[in-house]
Protein backbone atom coordinates (compact mmCIF):
# COMPACT_ATOMS: atom_id res chain seq x y z
CA UNK A 1 0.00 0.00 0.00
CA UNK A 2 1.33 3.37 -0.98
CA UNK A 3 0.54 5.65 1.92
CA UNK A 4 2.42 8.65 0.54
CA UNK A 5 1.98 9.66 -3.09
CA UNK A 6 3.84 12.17 -5.18
CA UNK A 7 1.90 12.10 -8.42
CA UNK A 8 4.27 14.26 -10.44
CA UNK A 9 7.54 12.45 -11.20
CA UNK A 10 9.07 15.62 -12.60
CA UNK A 11 8.67 19.38 -12.62
CA UNK A 12 10.50 22.03 -14.61
CA UNK A 13 10.45 25.74 -13.74
CA UNK A 14 12.31 28.86 -14.76
CA UNK A 15 14.84 30.42 -12.41
CA UNK A 16 13.22 33.06 -10.22
CA UNK A 17 9.72 31.58 -10.49
CA UNK A 18 7.86 29.55 -7.88
CA UNK A 19 8.21 25.78 -7.64
CA UNK A 20 5.28 23.91 -6.11
CA UNK A 21 5.74 20.26 -5.23
CA UNK A 22 2.75 18.25 -4.07
CA UNK A 23 2.20 15.20 -1.91
CA UNK A 24 -0.89 13.27 -0.80
CA UNK A 25 -1.14 10.84 2.09
CA UNK A 26 -3.75 8.34 3.21
CA UNK A 27 -3.12 7.78 6.93
CA UNK A 28 -4.21 10.51 9.35
CA UNK A 29 -2.13 9.23 12.27
CA UNK A 30 1.16 10.90 11.39
CA UNK A 31 2.70 13.47 13.75
CA UNK A 32 5.08 15.13 11.33
CA UNK A 33 5.41 15.73 7.65
CA UNK A 34 8.81 16.31 6.11
CA UNK A 35 10.52 17.18 2.86
CA UNK A 36 13.91 15.79 1.92
CA UNK A 37 16.10 16.82 -0.98
CA UNK A 38 18.41 14.47 -2.83
CA UNK A 39 21.22 15.18 -5.27
CA UNK A 40 22.62 12.38 -7.49
CA UNK A 41 25.03 10.00 -5.74
CA UNK A 42 24.23 11.54 -2.35
CA UNK A 43 21.92 10.61 0.48
CA UNK A 44 18.73 12.58 1.09
CA UNK A 45 19.09 15.67 3.25
CA UNK A 46 16.41 17.11 5.46
CA UNK A 47 14.86 20.30 4.13
CA UNK A 48 11.84 21.33 6.17
CA UNK A 49 9.13 19.79 8.31
CA UNK A 50 5.74 20.61 9.75
CA UNK A 51 3.89 19.31 12.76
CA UNK A 52 0.42 17.88 12.26
CA UNK A 53 -0.99 20.63 14.50
CA UNK A 54 0.15 23.39 12.14
CA UNK A 55 -0.84 24.33 8.61
CA UNK A 56 2.23 26.28 7.52
CA UNK A 57 5.93 26.40 8.21
CA UNK A 58 8.39 28.73 6.54
CA UNK A 59 12.18 28.64 6.34
CA UNK A 60 13.73 31.19 4.04
CA UNK A 61 12.73 30.42 0.45
CA UNK A 62 10.97 27.22 1.49
CA UNK A 63 7.42 26.99 2.79
CA UNK A 64 5.50 23.82 3.57
CA UNK A 65 1.71 23.83 3.67
CA UNK A 66 -0.40 21.14 5.29
CA UNK A 67 -4.08 20.64 4.47
CA UNK A 68 -5.24 17.94 6.85
CA UNK A 69 -8.81 17.77 5.60
CA UNK A 70 -7.53 17.08 2.09
CA UNK A 71 -4.58 14.98 3.35
CA UNK A 72 -2.34 17.09 1.18
CA UNK A 73 1.13 18.52 1.68
CA UNK A 74 2.91 20.97 -0.56
CA UNK A 75 6.35 22.58 -0.73
CA UNK A 76 6.77 26.04 -2.22
CA UNK A 77 10.18 27.30 -3.27
CA UNK A 78 10.34 31.02 -4.00
CA UNK A 79 12.36 32.15 -5.86
CA UNK A 80 13.62 28.96 -7.46
CA UNK A 81 17.35 28.71 -8.14
CA UNK A 82 19.33 26.33 -10.41
CA UNK A 83 20.93 24.84 -7.28
CA UNK A 84 17.46 23.69 -6.20
CA UNK A 85 17.49 21.13 -9.03
CA UNK A 86 17.22 17.79 -7.22
CA UNK A 87 14.78 15.04 -6.34
CA UNK A 88 12.39 16.01 -3.54
CA UNK A 89 10.82 13.39 -1.30
CA UNK A 90 7.91 14.04 0.99
CA UNK A 91 7.61 11.86 4.06
CA UNK A 92 5.21 11.24 6.90
CA UNK A 93 6.46 10.31 10.36
CA UNK A 94 5.10 8.86 13.56
CA UNK A 95 7.03 6.96 16.24
CA UNK A 96 9.92 5.61 14.15
CA UNK A 97 7.60 4.91 11.23
CA UNK A 98 8.58 7.13 8.31
CA UNK A 99 6.93 6.64 4.91
CA UNK A 100 8.38 8.24 1.81
CA UNK A 101 6.83 9.22 -1.46
CA UNK A 102 8.48 8.18 -4.73
CA UNK A 103 9.97 11.64 -5.25
CA UNK A 104 9.60 14.51 -7.73
CA UNK A 105 12.56 15.56 -9.85
CA UNK A 106 12.73 19.36 -9.95
CA UNK A 107 14.68 21.06 -12.69
CA UNK A 108 15.22 24.81 -12.42
CA UNK A 109 16.32 26.30 -15.73
CA UNK A 110 18.58 29.38 -15.79
CA UNK B 1 32.40 15.53 11.53
CA UNK B 2 32.01 12.66 9.09
CA UNK B 3 28.27 12.24 9.82
CA UNK B 4 26.94 8.90 8.56
CA UNK B 5 29.46 6.76 6.69
CA UNK B 6 28.47 3.75 4.58
CA UNK B 7 30.74 1.14 3.04
CA UNK B 8 31.01 -0.16 0.41
CA UNK B 9 29.57 2.36 -2.04
CA UNK B 10 29.15 -0.25 -4.77
CA UNK B 11 29.03 -4.03 -4.73
CA UNK B 12 28.08 -6.81 -7.15
CA UNK B 13 27.01 -10.10 -5.60
CA UNK B 14 26.14 -13.46 -7.05
CA UNK B 15 22.87 -15.12 -6.09
CA UNK B 16 23.25 -16.92 -2.77
CA UNK B 17 26.28 -14.96 -1.58
CA UNK B 18 26.31 -13.13 1.72
CA UNK B 19 27.61 -9.73 2.63
CA UNK B 20 27.43 -6.99 5.22
CA UNK B 21 26.81 -3.33 4.54
CA UNK B 22 28.57 -1.23 7.12
CA UNK B 23 27.19 1.95 8.65
CA UNK B 24 28.83 4.18 11.22
CA UNK B 25 27.82 7.55 12.65
CA UNK B 26 29.88 9.91 14.80
CA UNK B 27 27.07 12.18 16.00
CA UNK B 28 26.21 10.12 19.08
CA UNK B 29 22.70 9.56 17.73
CA UNK B 30 20.53 7.02 19.48
CA UNK B 31 18.39 6.07 16.52
CA UNK B 32 19.67 4.38 13.39
CA UNK B 33 17.87 3.08 10.31
CA UNK B 34 18.36 1.10 7.14
CA UNK B 35 16.33 1.96 4.06
CA UNK B 36 16.31 0.66 0.53
CA UNK B 37 15.33 2.60 -2.54
CA UNK B 38 14.22 0.85 -5.70
CA UNK B 39 13.97 2.73 -9.02
CA UNK B 40 10.93 5.03 -9.15
CA UNK B 41 10.00 4.20 -5.58
CA UNK B 42 10.29 5.90 -2.25
CA UNK B 43 12.61 4.72 0.48
CA UNK B 44 11.35 1.72 2.42
CA UNK B 45 12.42 0.96 5.98
CA UNK B 46 14.20 -2.38 6.46
CA UNK B 47 15.25 -2.28 10.11
CA UNK B 48 15.78 0.32 12.77
CA UNK B 49 17.37 0.63 16.20
CA UNK B 50 16.59 3.00 19.05
CA UNK B 51 19.80 2.24 20.92
CA UNK B 52 22.61 -0.24 21.43
CA UNK B 53 21.26 -3.75 21.84
CA UNK B 54 17.79 -2.86 20.51
CA UNK B 55 16.63 -3.52 16.95
CA UNK B 56 13.24 -3.79 15.32
CA UNK B 57 11.76 -4.69 11.95
CA UNK B 58 10.58 -2.11 9.50
CA UNK B 59 8.38 -2.40 6.45
CA UNK B 60 10.56 -4.80 4.39
CA UNK B 61 12.81 -6.87 6.72
CA UNK B 62 12.75 -10.24 4.93
CA UNK B 63 16.17 -11.40 3.77
CA UNK B 64 18.08 -9.06 6.08
CA UNK B 65 19.51 -9.03 9.58
CA UNK B 66 20.96 -6.29 11.73
CA UNK B 67 22.81 -5.87 15.00
CA UNK B 68 23.58 -2.85 17.16
CA UNK B 69 26.38 -3.62 19.58
CA UNK B 70 27.55 0.00 19.86
CA UNK B 71 25.90 3.40 19.50
CA UNK B 72 28.08 4.18 16.48
CA UNK B 73 27.65 1.10 14.28
CA UNK B 74 24.62 -0.49 12.64
CA UNK B 75 25.61 -3.15 10.07
CA UNK B 76 23.07 -4.71 7.69
CA UNK B 77 23.58 -8.36 6.77
CA UNK B 78 22.29 -10.08 3.63
CA UNK B 79 22.54 -13.84 4.17
CA UNK B 80 21.46 -15.30 0.80
CA UNK B 81 21.48 -12.59 -1.81
CA UNK B 82 18.62 -12.60 -4.31
CA UNK B 83 18.05 -10.45 -7.42
CA UNK B 84 15.12 -8.80 -5.61
CA UNK B 85 17.67 -7.27 -3.24
CA UNK B 86 19.24 -5.25 -6.02
CA UNK B 87 18.74 -1.74 -4.75
CA UNK B 88 20.38 1.34 -3.27
CA UNK B 89 20.68 1.07 0.49
CA UNK B 90 20.74 4.09 2.76
CA UNK B 91 21.69 4.17 6.40
CA UNK B 92 20.40 7.04 8.53
CA UNK B 93 20.55 8.26 12.09
CA UNK B 94 18.62 10.67 14.26
CA UNK B 95 18.28 11.80 17.85
CA UNK B 96 15.11 12.51 19.75
CA UNK B 97 14.99 16.26 20.31
CA UNK B 98 13.67 18.00 23.36
CA UNK B 99 10.04 18.54 22.54
CA UNK B 100 9.73 15.30 20.68
CA UNK B 101 11.09 13.20 17.87
CA UNK B 102 10.34 15.05 14.64
CA UNK B 103 11.72 12.47 12.26
CA UNK B 104 14.65 14.51 10.95
CA UNK B 105 17.11 11.93 9.64
CA UNK B 106 20.75 12.24 8.64
CA UNK B 107 21.54 9.95 5.74
CA UNK B 108 24.70 8.35 4.45
CA UNK B 109 25.61 8.54 0.77
CA UNK B 110 24.18 5.14 -0.04
CA UNK B 111 25.45 1.72 -1.10
CA UNK B 112 24.46 0.45 -4.53
CA UNK B 113 24.07 -3.33 -4.52
CA UNK B 114 23.53 -5.47 -7.60
CA UNK B 115 22.71 -9.17 -7.31
CA UNK B 116 23.27 -11.21 -10.48
Amino acid sequence: DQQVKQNSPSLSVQEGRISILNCDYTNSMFDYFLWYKKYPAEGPTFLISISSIKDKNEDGRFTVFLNKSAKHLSLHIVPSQPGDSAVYFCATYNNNDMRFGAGTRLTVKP
Amino acid sequence: NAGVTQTPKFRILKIGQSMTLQCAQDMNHNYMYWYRQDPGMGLKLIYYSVGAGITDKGEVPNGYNVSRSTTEDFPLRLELAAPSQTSVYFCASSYPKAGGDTGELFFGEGSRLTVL
Side-chain angles (χ1 to χ4, degrees):
Chain A
D1 65 339
Q2 200 171 351
Q3 296 193 20
V4 183
K5 292 185 180 179
Q6 293 178 255
N7 292 318
S8 298
S10 63
L11 174 68
S12 182
V13 300
Q14 207 67 34
E15 180 178 7
R17 306 295 290 268
I18 185 171
S19 295
I20 300 177
L21 296 97
N22 294 301
C23 179
D24 297 298
Y25 60 95
T26 57
N27 190 331
S28 300
M29 299 302 293
F30 296 111
D31 292 333
Y32 286 91
F33 301 84
L34 305 94
W35 286 94
Y36 284 84
K37 178 179 177 179
K38 185 182 181 303
Y39 292 117
E42 295 184 10
T45 55
F46 170 76
L47 186 59
I48 192 169
S49 66
I50 187 169
S51 163
S52 61
I53 62 174
K54 295 186 176 180
D55 53 22
K56 178 182 174 180
N57 187 28
E58 194 171 348
D59 183 1
R61 297 185 297 114
F62 303 91
T63 303
V64 57
F65 295 93
L66 177 62
N67 183 334
K68 287 185 286 293
S69 61
K71 295 183 182 176
H72 182 79
L73 184 71
S74 64
L75 175 68
H76 293 208
I77 306 173
V78 183
S80 301
Q81 299 174 353
D84 296 330
S85 296
V87 176
Y88 290 79
F89 293 97
C90 70
T92 57
Y93 181 75
N94 180 43
N95 194 26
N96 288 310
D97 185 359
M98 185 170 293
R99 304 289 173 129
F100 287 86
T104 297
R105 181 177 300 279
L106 173 66
T107 303
V108 180
K109 297 180 179 178
Chain B
N1 248 357
V4 179
T5 303
Q6 291 183 234
T7 55
K9 286 189 168 41
F10 302 94
R11 182 74 186 266
I12 298 175
L13 280 181
K14 293 183 180 178
I15 294 172
Q17 284 186 318
S18 301
M19 77 157 298
T20 299
L21 297 175
Q22 301 291 345
C23 176
Q25 54 91 8
D26 61 0
M27 298 175 281
N28 203 30
H29 285 174
N30 289 339
Y31 296 179
M32 295 188 75
Y33 309 81
W34 274 106
Y35 287 89
R36 60 177 285 174
Q37 185 190 14
D38 300 325
M41 305 288 286
L43 286 77
K44 292 192 183 295
L45 182 63
I46 305 171
Y47 270 94
Y48 69 96
S49 168
V50 299
I54 306 169
T55 62
D56 216 336
K57 294 178 181 179
E59 197 179 353
V60 290
N62 291 343
Y64 307 94
N65 278 302
V66 293
S67 59
R68 184 96 182 270
S69 56
T70 67
T71 301
E72 294 78 19
D73 300 298
F74 191 40
L76 177 71
R77 178 94 178 147
L78 285 73
E79 290 294 348
L80 292 170
S84 61
Q85 293 177 304
T86 294
S87 190
V88 180
Y89 292 82
F90 290 99
C91 180
S93 70
S94 70
Y95 61 97
K97 297 180 182 176
D101 181 11
T102 62
E104 179 182 344
L105 303 183
F106 295 79
F107 283 88
E109 293 186 339
S111 298
R112 183 177 294 275
L113 177 66
T114 302
V115 182
L116 301 174

